[in-house]
Amino acid sequence: MAKQFERIEDSHLAFIERQHIFFFGSAVGDSRVNISPRSTQHFHVLGDLTVAYLDLTGSGSETAAHSMAGGRATAMFCAFEGPPLILRLYGRARVDFRGSPAYEAFLGERYASGEPLGARQVVTLDIDLVQTSCGFAVPTFEHTGERPVLDNWAEKKGEEGLRAYRQEKNLTSIDGLPTGFVEA
């Protein structure tokens, strides 16, 4: 049932492009395993061994902490419509924080209209294994659209409010690990 690949192949890329949601998991040592659902709106395939997503401000920053501590990460896509399939991208994540040269370069290449409101970092996954599995037990769902709640929240906070929030909530993980978060 499960098949392993050395890199993202064309069929994997086509599958990723059809999805509306992915899950990103990370952990290090005996930390709690973090799994976050994400919209694919800000997910980008950079090459056959590299993907990245623009991460918006949230109440925690577990992925950054796990990345900084050298932990592993996985991006997972499930077919909720059409033929069943699960695709996992295994590797190590790295984080480029808002205002860093790598962050600015990413924005310049991928967001011609400018930085989306609430953006805080770019999470890049350097892939060492791609795996597909059947997905026969994954239920079907219909995508009806994106939720505007986070965008509305960020708009209400404003730039200064978002900076203060990130300073309050994004400096350590729930296990007390430093995230390395800095904002230029």
Side-chain angles (χ1 to χ4, degrees):
M1 291 234 225
K3 294 181 183 173
Q4 297 180 341
F5 304 85
E6 292 182 9
R7 60 190 25 86
I8 296 172
E9 297 187 353
D10 290 343
S11 61
H12 304 142
L13 177 59
F15 176 73
I16 289 168
E17 290 174 344
R18 289 191 306 271
Q19 304 316 305
H20 301 287
I21 188 173
F22 72 101
F23 300 85
F24 202 82
S26 63
V28 64
D30 62 354
S31 74
R32 288 174 176 82
V33 176
N34 183 66
I35 304 170
S36 296
R38 305 265 182 227
S39 167
T40 56
Q41 178 181 10
H42 296 296
F43 187 88
H44 305 272
V45 176
L46 305 181
D48 59 4
L49 289 172
T50 312
V51 297
Y53 67 91
L54 183 64
D55 190 31
L56 305 180
T57 300
S59 59
S61 195
E62 304 306 299
T63 301
H66 297 159
S67 169
M68 187 172 173
R72 310 280 299 156
T74 302
M76 183 182 79
F77 297 84
C78 301
F80 293 110
E81 301 170 322
L85 183 67
I86 297 171
L87 173 70
R88 291 180 180 91
L89 308 174
Y90 296 98
R92 293 200 185 272
R94 55 189 155 87
V95 175
D96 294 302
F97 296 109
R98 189 168 189 255
S100 70
Y103 177 91
E104 296 300 329
F106 182 86
L107 283 182
E109 293 169 11
R110 310 250 173 228
Y111 293 87
S113 60
E115 180 182 51
L117 184 63
R120 68 172 168 183
Q121 57 201 20
V122 174
V123 177
T124 302
L125 181 64
D126 295 316
I127 300 165
D128 57 40
L129 178 67
V130 175
Q131 180 176 296
T132 60
S133 56
C134 67
F136 293 166
V138 175
T140 59
F141 288 98
E142 183 179 329
H143 181 260
T144 60
E146 300 295 324
R147 292 178 193 221
V149 179
L150 186 61
D151 289 342
N152 293 343
W153 173 83
E155 192 172 317
K156 276 178 95 172
K157 280 263 184 221
E159 188 57 43
E160 288 309 309
L162 287 167
R163 282 180 184 274
Y165 185 86
R166 288 189 288 262
Q167 288 300 311
E168 179 186 346
K169 302 282 189 179
N170 294 165
L171 300 182
T172 60
S173 74
I174 59 175
D175 293 313
L177 299 170
T179 64
F181 183 79
V182 293
E183 190 164 9

